[in-house]
Amino acid sequence: MPENNQTILPAQTIGIIGGGQLGRMMAIAARYMGYKIAVLDPTPNCPTAQVADHQITAAYDDMYAIEKLTDISDVVTYEFENVDLTAARYIEEKGKLPQGSFALEVTQNREKEKSLMREAGLPIPEFTIVTNGEECKTALQNMAYPAVIKTCSGGYDGKGQIKLTSKNDESTAIEFAEKNKHCIIEQWVPFEKEISVVFTRTQTGGLEIFPIAENTHKDHILYQTVAPAIISEQVKIKAIQAATVLAEKMQIVGTFAIEMFVKGDEIYLNEMAPRPHNSGHYTIEACNISQFGQHIRAICGLPLMKVELLRPVTMVNILGEDMEHVLRMMPTLENGSVHLYGKDGRKPKRKMGHVTFTAATSDEVSKLVMNYEEEK
Ligand code: AMP
């Protein structure tokens, strides 16, 4: 953790580990301010490289490349949580990783993540950790169905997890645990809504929370985010309180996201991401500062902007299979900002971009989204 607030000013260089869409949107926000960008990614001309000054084309855990990135950057950040911890600690020791390595260590591992939440007294689904098939069998004897078994590391977008609906799924779960070893079994929460709280914290403890957003997934991939979320005042208070507790406990620096389930007036924390999040893309058009702009301010030691939601908003992801539709719609698209990430290859389910719809009222936003969807 940094001991003092290091100020990085334009045109100093921000290094980004990972060259996907999150890095790209961070880079664009930083470029508006006049910073230079260096990116480390194994794919030449990756989405971030297209808007950066330098690309180091190498594997994320290539220590020579990490040293080079650290050397040419005044501050380093990352766009995903699976940053090699040795690499993160190296940059931290050089005094160039204000976010530190602790948040990465926790969010890379569901056991550490859920244990930390529990230790902080926050509401989470009941869970058990298992390390093989035998332990899984024992754990399931004490667990009500439905439940879900997830790998403790490496899962994303629903990959690396299986829902266990009834005792009939027991053998599938045992096989899964035997194959993946370190797993978490969670009680299934019959939630009504999924929400996310995206916030930014500075190196000196300044905290700004974006409006709570409501998320819909399709095939485990985020499909749509609506802000502000339609939730009770109690849920809102609980969600903000949970985010504040975690921000402090983990001494977060930068933009950070927490996904939660809502059931009645209760919340259950699901996952955390130590970086800007897909469900925060709406902030680019709908807030006075985006999650990316705020992130850059935090890692550069600048004060945060006070967040305001300017208009109701819905963000819809564009996957590979939606590309044709979006391009066909663009010439007539009303109040929809299209963002394409510059990725080659339109693979189904691959996130290629997003569209953000804003209007004066939520009803008008819904109509715009409906119109966009109907034309599909
Ligand atoms: P995760 O990778 O943990 O974010 O899970 C992906 C998705 O699976 C979530 O967005 C939920 O829709 C669903 N899910 C995961 N865990 C649970 C749970 N304990 N109860 C209900 N739904 C869950």
Side-chain angles (χ1 to χ4, degrees):
M1 301 276 162
E3 294 196 339
N4 49 21
N5 193 28
Q6 201 189 354
T7 309
I8 308 294
L9 294 172
Q12 285 184 282
T13 300
I14 300 172
I16 305 175
I17 303 174
Q21 64 267 25
L22 298 176
R24 178 184 175 99
M25 289 183 273
M26 277 182 203
I28 291 171
R31 280 206 147 192
Y32 267 127
M33 298 171 79
Y35 289 104
K36 290 203 181 81
I37 302 293
V39 59
L40 168 64
D41 193 280
T43 309
N45 197 36
C46 60
T48 309
Q50 294 164 23
V51 296
D53 298 274
H54 314 281
Q55 171 167 12
I56 298 169
T57 311
Y60 303 125
D61 60 354
D62 176 335
M63 274 314 287
Y64 175 72
I66 289 285
E67 280 172 29
K68 200 165 151 200
L69 180 76
T70 310
D71 212 35
I72 62 171
S73 306
D74 297 287
V75 66
V76 177
T77 185
Y78 45 80
E79 66 145 20
F80 56 76
E81 49 275 38
N82 289 317
V83 174
D84 180 72
L85 283 181
T86 310
R89 287 183 189 125
Y90 169 84
I91 309 166
E92 193 175 15
E93 271 160 30
K94 293 279 171 193
K96 290 189 178 179
L97 190 70
Q99 290 165 272
S101 55
F102 179 67
L104 289 172
E105 195 183 320
V106 172
T107 53
Q108 280 177 11
N109 181 316
R110 290 191 199 265
E111 179 178 7
K112 288 187 182 165
E113 183 176 57
K114 284 278 169 16
S115 304
L116 185 138
M117 290 170 174
R118 183 163 62 188
E119 211 179 278
L122 297 171
I124 49 174
E126 231 180 89
F127 73 91
T128 314
I129 301 296
V130 297
T131 59
N132 56 47
E134 196 54 38
E135 285 178 18
C136 175
K137 188 172 182 185
T138 312
L140 286 174
Q141 278 159 10
N142 304 315
M143 203 106 187
Y145 290 94
V148 54
I149 184 164
K150 305 176 181 178
T151 54
C152 275
S153 56
Y156 68 97
D157 285 348
K159 294 191 177 78
Q161 62 176 272
I162 305 177
K163 185 176 178 183
L164 310 172
T165 312
S166 69
K167 200 163 164 49
N168 293 340
D169 294 326
E170 190 189 71
S171 57
T172 313
I174 292 169
E175 218 173 277
F176 184 89
E178 198 51 45
K179 178 169 162 235
N180 292 292
K181 306 295 176 207
H182 193 197
C183 291
I184 182 168
I185 305 175
E186 288 175 17
Q187 199 68 71
W188 188 262
V189 179
F191 59 81
E192 286 134 25
K193 277 177 196 257
E194 288 189 81
I195 58 169
S196 52
V197 184
V198 176
F199 64 82
T200 316
R201 187 174 177 277
T202 65
Q203 300 167 48
T204 50
L207 182 68
E208 277 295 323
I209 302 178
F210 287 97
I212 299 175
E214 195 172 321
N215 302 316
T216 317
H217 295 82
K218 267 190 193 169
D219 300 330
H220 293 287
I221 300 171
L222 182 69
Y223 160 63
Q224 184 174 293
T225 298
V226 174
I230 302 170
I231 45 175
S232 68
E233 200 50 33
Q234 255 184 310
V235 165
K236 192 172 161 187
I237 291 168
K238 285 178 184 170
I240 290 175
Q241 216 164 31
T244 309
V245 165
L246 283 178
E248 284 307 312
K249 187 171 170 69
M250 295 176 74
Q251 292 285 292
I252 296 304
V253 171
T255 292
F256 191 93
I258 309 172
E259 294 180 77
M260 306 177 188
F261 304 130
V262 179
K263 185 169 163 272
D265 279 332
E266 299 303 324
I267 59 164
Y268 298 86
L269 274 57
N270 180 28
E271 265 198 316
M272 309 194 272
R275 52 166 170 81
H277 193 258
N278 195 167
S279 67
H281 293 356
Y282 78 84
T283 59
I284 297 175
E285 282 86 10
C287 292
N288 59 327
I289 178 84
S290 76
Q291 60 166 349
F292 301 102
Q294 205 75 309
H295 180 71
I296 296 298
R297 299 179 75 89
I299 61 162
C300 290
L302 302 177
L304 299 178
M305 301 267 284
K306 201 156 173 39
V307 172
E308 277 177 57
L309 180 71
L310 307 173
R311 308 189 98 195
V313 59
T314 293
M315 184 240 36
V316 184
N317 267 341
I318 302 170
L319 304 182
E321 60 269 35
D322 305 319
M323 277 297 286
E324 233 169 84
H325 169 67
V326 171
L327 296 176
R328 191 164 21 90
M329 289 291 286
M330 262 185 96
T332 54
L333 199 63
E334 232 188 301
N335 279 340
S337 301
V338 175
H339 297 246
L340 292 175
Y341 306 145
K343 292 185 186 177
D344 285 339
R346 298 179 186 180
K347 274 191 225 144
K349 308 284 170 236
R350 186 171 194 215
K351 289 177 185 170
M352 302 297 286
H354 68 268
V355 200
T356 308
F357 295 95
T358 55
T361 65
S362 301
D363 280 352
E364 279 175 61
V365 175
S366 301
K367 277 187 203 141
L368 292 169
V369 176
M370 242 177 347
N371 185 42
Y372 168 75
E373 296 289 334
E374 264 172 18
E375 298 284 331
K376 255 188 191 172

